[in-house]
Amino acid sequence: MLRTALRNILAHKARQIMTVLAVCLGVAFVSGTLVFADSTAEAHRAAASKNFADIAVTVTAKESPPGTSADGRTSVLDDALVRRLAAVPGVAAVRPSADGSAALNAADGTPLRVRPGANPAAAYVPGADGNDSRYPLVKGHAPRHSGELAVDSGTAAAGHLGIGDTVTLATDGPVMTKRLVGIVTTEDTRVTAGGTLALFDKATAQKLFATPGHYTGIDLSAVPGTDQFALSRRVTDVLPADRAEATTGAAQAAQQAILVDTLTRGYEKLPMVFAGVSLFIGSFLIVNTFSMLVARRTREIALLRAIGASRRQVARSVLLEALLVGVVASAAGFLLGLGIASVLPDILSTGGNTLPHGPLVIGPASVVAALGVGVGVTVLSAWLPSRRAARIAPVEAMRTTEQPPTAARSRIRGVAGLALLVLGAGWLLSLSGAKDASEENLQSAMFGCALLVVALLVLAPLLAVPVIRLTGRLTGRFGVTGRLARENALRDPRRTATTAATLLISTALVAGLAVIGNSTGQALDRQAAAGLGAEYVISSRTPTTGVDPAAVRRVADTSGVRTASAVTDSTLFVGGGVRDISGVDPGTVDSVMKLDFVSGSVKDLGPGRIAVSRTVARENGVTSGGRLNARIGPGQEFTQYTVVGVYKDNPIAHDALGTRTEVSKNSFTPGSVQRILVRTDSGAVSQTTEDRLRSAVGDSPLLKVQNRRQLVDEAAGTMADLLNVMYGMLAIGAVIGALGIVNTLAMSVAERTREIGALRALGMDRAGIRRMIRLEAVTVAGFGTLLGLAGGVFGAWAVGSLANGAMEQYSLALPWATLLLLCLVSLAIGALAAAVPARRAAALSPLEAVAQA
């Protein structure tokens, strides 16, 4: 049987290549992702280790008890401590540091790579040689006074900054401008992973990030041969008790590598998603390939059975054939995966998020996963065809080469498919009344969609006949070739359905996400129009910083501005949950927010009086005039607030409204401003007005000035990214679907050699044969696309009810242009996939074809 399996593989090399390619794609993404993850993690560790190579121990301050330091900053790390640490045995050098964060503008004034945790700033502290070994200078000189600045080479390149340029930056407040005097290199993985670095002179850094004469950390280098952990214990002995702590350089390198790895871990998930889609869709191609091979070898298998081969031996021969194909596909996929792993850092380093480069790390897990996944998927996919081969009876197989499914088996399939369809549709319909986009409901919706797709796959062979007969009226317009194409597609509905399954799945995914994305986008448009009366919103790019309160007056005095209303956002603890509350000016809020009050009025806001959204009112059982036990910010105790109004849910107003004085007094940062809502005189947006507003806030890189359209685009950004992923999945499904159609048609042409010869003998020309094969492929592709569209749109409609719970303005909106384009692409895939089989069929000689036994 081993020789039989090998002979069968060699006899059908061209058809097995399709299977190998399908498995190869999935294995390549799996192995490539694992190698990429291992290589990136090792590169992170290497970069972090290099960054802390000359640091044996770092001393940092512990959080000070209230009242022990000025401005909430600890004062334990000072020059006196530096001198004591320098005297510790084993310490070779002491380098104090004053670190924080700073956001910079590029040369054109746009913010440069502003992301939480990715914009470190520090003091340039020269050693005995006049240089700071952490930041080797490549151009210019180190900053010497408060007006000078140095940046890393990556920041300079991204921002088109050069020596002598004036750089606009902000740390945690007003905007500053400094002259760029130096460009350095760094191994700090926060910077090399897509961040920025700003370096100040020591006095300036102390003023910005600590207090004059004090530091945020002290780095110690060790005498050669000194153990880091032993040195750390000696350093701890001289530190003020409970005021400071010592950490080894090795521990810091490991922590930083973990931090950067966590920030970039999402990049590893995307290729793995593509791998799963490739393998899932490819499994249908494998099933179809082996099913067709078994059908073509019916007489051969019957002969083996007649001369004594057992059913188990027949099944094993098919599985062995699949095993060998899987091994070859896995090996090819692993090699292709190494290529994917080598280019992924460059592909995923777009948008300022740079991943570290390093040698490929090929661990045993990657090799085992590649072989296990590739061989496992191939063998499992061939299991059903192997059982079908084992059931072939010698006498029945000798009589015919085609064994259509029995009526009993068709009834079983129909019952099972209908049961899954009812269960999946019922599951989704049961969620339609949930109106709650919780994680649990979303997972339930995904499960319901999966049941729906499986039901369509099970029912596809039964649906093929009525659907193709209906759509066959279009192909029938092509005359005899069209009618023959329709009948050829109906000849084996099970084969047609399996071939169309790849396009069914990919089309359902993309159609469903396209509908949800379009509906969400329109809902965001309506939401912004319904909730925002202002033309511009000025807000912070990071959650830890706010808008300079002094900027509110400058914005209000800007030419063309009618109203500038400051908003302080904080947290409202109520009913055992956490909600957002906005502190507003009751006199101006009506002009910048579109508030639709069910009862009460925003004018009644005042000390001890708040307004709440309809959702909060319903959850806590309060109405206008009622009392609500709540706490704003980090207050010491809950307070009974009077509810002066209930308004329809509004994303701009958040969950509750209070006066800015009240909310700001009790917020985490008293006196802060999180947003400025700006109403213009003309009621319109323009680049001139936007430029003036940016100037009013000092062109701060920490702040963003957005009009309503930009707010909607930002809110829809996640959905847009998800749609891009889905379109990538469609591309994968399209490739594998094309392979499946090519494979099916190639085998179909081989099976119908005599039939095609007869058609040629009866007068059909080569063009007619090619047209017939192409129309058959388009018919199969159209069938899969039609079922995919139906399943995807229904799933989007059912899941959309959950979005309606999160967005009151959500309603189903079909993207007709996208759906039409999706149909055209799928049909084009079918037509292109038929090119080679059609050419081969047209090249058959009529006499030789008819003469074949």
Side-chain angles (χ1 to χ4, degrees):
M1 300 309 290
L2 175 61
R3 289 194 296 271
T4 301
L6 289 173
R7 184 186 61 79
N8 286 331
I9 291 176
L10 295 175
H12 304 95
K13 294 187 294 293
R15 291 158 196 166
Q16 296 288 14
I17 286 176
M18 305 298 177
T19 300
V20 170
L21 288 175
V23 178
C24 182
L25 283 174
V27 171
F29 279 112
V30 171
S31 60
T33 302
L34 293 176
V35 172
F36 163 71
D38 291 341
S39 304
T40 303
E42 182 59 32
H44 285 156
R45 286 190 289 269
S49 297
K50 187 174 181 180
N51 193 38
F52 290 95
D54 61 342
I55 298 176
V57 177
T58 295
V59 176
T60 55
K62 292 184 179 180
E63 186 176 353
S64 301
T68 61
S69 58
D71 299 329
R73 296 169 177 170
T74 185
S75 58
V76 67
L77 305 183
D78 54 14
D79 289 324
L81 180 61
V82 170
R83 290 191 292 272
R84 290 202 302 274
L85 292 173
V88 173
V91 173
V94 181
R95 184 174 57 220
S97 60
D99 300 336
S101 64
L104 297 85
N105 277 343
D108 60 1
T110 59
L112 188 62
R113 299 175 176 176
V114 181
R115 292 189 297 126
N119 306 108
Y124 187 94
V125 183
D129 60 352
N131 297 315
D132 190 331
S133 59
R134 298 171 299 176
Y135 312 113
L137 278 163
V138 296
K139 188 180 294 185
H141 61 80
R144 298 165 181 162
H145 55 77
S146 61
E148 295 182 341
L149 175 76
V151 300
D152 68 287
S153 55
T155 299
H160 304 288
L161 301 172
I163 298 296
D165 288 351
T166 298
V167 181
T168 302
L169 70 152
T171 55
D172 188 18
V175 176
M176 300 175 286
T177 56
K178 298 186 182 297
R179 182 169 172 267
L180 183 63
V181 297
I183 296 177
V184 304
T185 60
T186 179
E187 298 295 333
D188 191 331
T189 48
R190 294 173 297 174
V191 180
T192 58
T196 61
L197 173 67
L199 297 175
F200 307 91
D201 66 287
K202 185 173 73 173
T204 301
Q206 287 178 324
K207 182 179 179 181
L208 289 173
F209 308 124
T211 53
H214 298 87
Y215 308 99
T216 59
I218 303 174
D219 296 329
L220 310 176
S221 59
V223 173
T226 303
D227 180 71
Q228 286 189 2
F229 296 97
L231 181 61
S232 177
R233 288 192 294 270
R234 290 196 291 270
V235 167
T236 302
D237 292 338
V238 304
L239 294 178
D242 301 325
R243 298 290 305 280
E245 59 185 350
T247 307
T248 63
Q252 292 180 80
Q255 291 173 359
Q256 188 165 336
I258 292 173
L259 171 63
V260 178
D261 184 58
T262 301
L263 293 174
T264 56
R265 190 173 298 160
Y267 294 124
E268 301 164 11
K269 296 179 181 178
L270 183 61
M272 197 63 78
V273 170
F274 285 112
V277 172
S278 299
L279 292 170
F280 181 67
I281 297 178
S283 64
F284 290 93
L285 173 57
I286 299 169
V287 170
N288 209 21
T289 300
F290 278 96
S291 296
M292 295 172 70
L293 289 173
V294 167
R296 289 214 61 203
R297 300 204 303 264
T298 300
R299 291 190 176 186
E300 174 189 323
I301 294 171
L303 180 60
L304 291 174
R305 294 279 285 115
I307 62 176
S310 66
R311 292 189 174 189
R312 181 173 297 180
Q313 286 178 312
V314 171
R316 284 178 178 175
S317 69
V318 176
L319 291 176
L320 183 59
E321 186 177 341
L323 176 64
L324 295 175
V325 171
V327 169
V328 173
S330 298
F334 185 78
L335 294 177
L336 180 60
L338 295 180
I340 292 176
S342 64
V343 300
L344 273 178
D346 294 322
I347 295 175
L348 299 178
S349 291
T350 57
N353 301 316
T354 305
L355 297 176
H357 286 266
L360 293 180
V361 177
I362 305 174
S366 303
V367 179
V368 171
L371 289 174
V373 168
V375 174
V377 168
T378 308
V379 172
L380 287 176
S381 299
W383 182 72
L384 283 176
S386 71
R387 286 178 57 85
R388 192 173 298 132
R391 287 197 301 265
I392 294 175
V395 175
E396 293 178 357
M398 288 296 186
R399 292 174 182 167
T400 177
T401 58
E402 288 192 38
Q403 297 293 321
T406 63
R409 189 171 301 165
S410 296
R411 284 195 296 270
I412 293 174
R413 176 185 287 272
V415 171
L418 285 175
L420 288 171
L421 183 64
V422 171
L423 181 60
W427 192 286
L428 290 174
L429 290 174
S430 68
L431 293 173
S432 62
K435 304 290 185 183
D436 179 12
S438 65
E439 184 177 352
E440 181 181 353
N441 281 339
L442 288 175
Q443 290 176 350
S444 295
M446 292 174 64
F447 178 71
C449 290
L451 284 177
L452 189 64
V453 171
V454 172
L456 290 177
L457 292 174
V458 173
L459 289 173
L462 303 180
L463 295 174
V465 174
V467 172
I468 292 178
R469 288 201 183 281
L470 179 64
T471 58
R473 296 180 180 178
L474 297 177
T475 57
R477 295 179 179 274
F478 290 88
V480 174
T481 55
R483 290 194 293 274
L484 286 173
R486 179 187 62 194
E487 295 305 318
N488 288 333
L490 291 173
R491 178 174 298 185
D492 189 343
R494 186 171 55 191
R495 179 190 301 177
T496 298
T498 308
T499 304
T502 55
L503 290 177
L504 188 158
I505 296 169
S506 54
T507 302
L509 282 172
V510 177
L513 265 296
V515 171
I516 293 176
N518 185 64
S519 302
T520 302
Q522 293 191 18
L524 289 170
D525 283 339
R526 291 190 293 269
Q527 194 175 62
L532 182 63
E535 281 74 44
Y536 291 95
V537 177
I538 302 174
S539 59
S540 174
R541 294 181 182 275
T542 62
T544 57
T545 59
V547 183
D548 181 9
V552 179
R553 174 49 52 191
R554 296 197 299 271
V555 170
D557 294 338
T558 299
S559 176
V561 172
R562 179 193 304 176
T563 306
S565 182
V567 179
T568 297
D569 295 323
S570 188
T571 302
L572 181 72
F573 298 89
V574 56
V578 180
R579 291 288 186 171
D580 295 325
I581 184 170
S582 299
V584 299
D585 178 5
T588 60
V589 67
D590 272 338
S591 64
V592 294
M593 290 185 189
K594 294 181 180 179
L595 298 170
D596 188 357
F597 272 81
V598 178
S599 61
S601 170
V602 71
K603 302 296 184 182
D604 296 326
L605 292 177
R609 300 195 299 271
I610 62 175
V612 298
S613 67
R614 188 158 55 182
T615 297
V616 173
R618 183 174 60 249
E619 289 178 349
N620 293 275
V622 295
T623 58
S624 294
R627 306 280 288 177
L628 185 64
N629 190 37
R631 174 166 64 89
I632 299 176
Q636 296 299 318
E637 58 184 18
F638 279 77
T639 303
Q640 289 287 329
Y641 286 95
T642 300
V643 177
V644 298
V646 177
Y647 56 89
K648 291 183 178 180
D649 289 20
N650 188 317
I652 306 300
H654 292 162
D655 303 306
L657 290 171
T659 63
R660 192 161 72 88
T661 302
E662 176 111 10
V663 174
S664 176
K665 178 180 63 177
N666 297 308
S667 67
F668 290 88
T669 308
S672 64
V673 173
Q674 275 66 50
R675 293 178 289 162
I676 305 176
L677 307 184
V678 180
R679 189 76 186 270
T680 62
D681 290 332
S682 62
V685 299
S686 67
Q687 189 61 48
T688 301
T689 303
E690 184 175 332
D691 292 341
R692 289 173 180 169
L693 292 176
R694 292 187 186 279
S695 298
V697 295
D699 289 321
S700 173
L702 290 174
L703 302 180
K704 48 188 176 182
V705 179
Q706 296 174 294
N707 57 40
R708 187 177 300 165
R709 182 70 262 165
Q710 291 167 334
L711 285 170
V712 171
D713 291 342
E714 183 180 67
T718 302
M719 180 58 66
D721 292 341
L722 188 57
L723 283 176
N724 289 334
V725 172
M726 289 298 105
Y727 293 142
M729 291 182 182
L730 175 62
I732 292 176
V735 171
I736 299 177
L739 294 176
I741 294 174
V742 170
N743 213 19
T744 300
L745 290 178
M747 290 189 177
S748 179
V749 167
E751 289 176 355
R752 303 201 306 263
T753 299
R754 296 185 66 186
E755 174 187 322
I756 293 172
L759 291 173
R760 293 279 286 118
L762 290 173
M764 183 175 286
D765 58 10
R766 296 180 186 272
I769 296 294
R770 287 195 294 268
R771 189 183 308 116
M772 178 184 69
I773 300 298
R774 290 196 188 100
L775 288 175
E776 181 180 348
V778 170
T779 300
V780 173
F783 171 65
T785 302
L786 187 61
L787 286 189
L789 284 176
V793 172
F794 178 80
W797 170 78
V799 175
S801 63
L802 302 180
N804 183 258
M807 271 184 283
E808 192 172 333
Q809 292 82 4
Y810 183 93
S811 62
L812 188 71
L814 297 180
W816 294 108
T818 301
L819 296 180
L820 178 60
L821 179 62
L822 185 58
C823 292
L824 294 177
V825 168
S826 296
L827 295 178
I829 290 169
L832 292 174
V836 174
R839 191 181 306 116
R840 184 175 301 168
L844 289 174
S845 169
L847 294 179
E848 292 179 1
V850 173
Q852 285 190 14

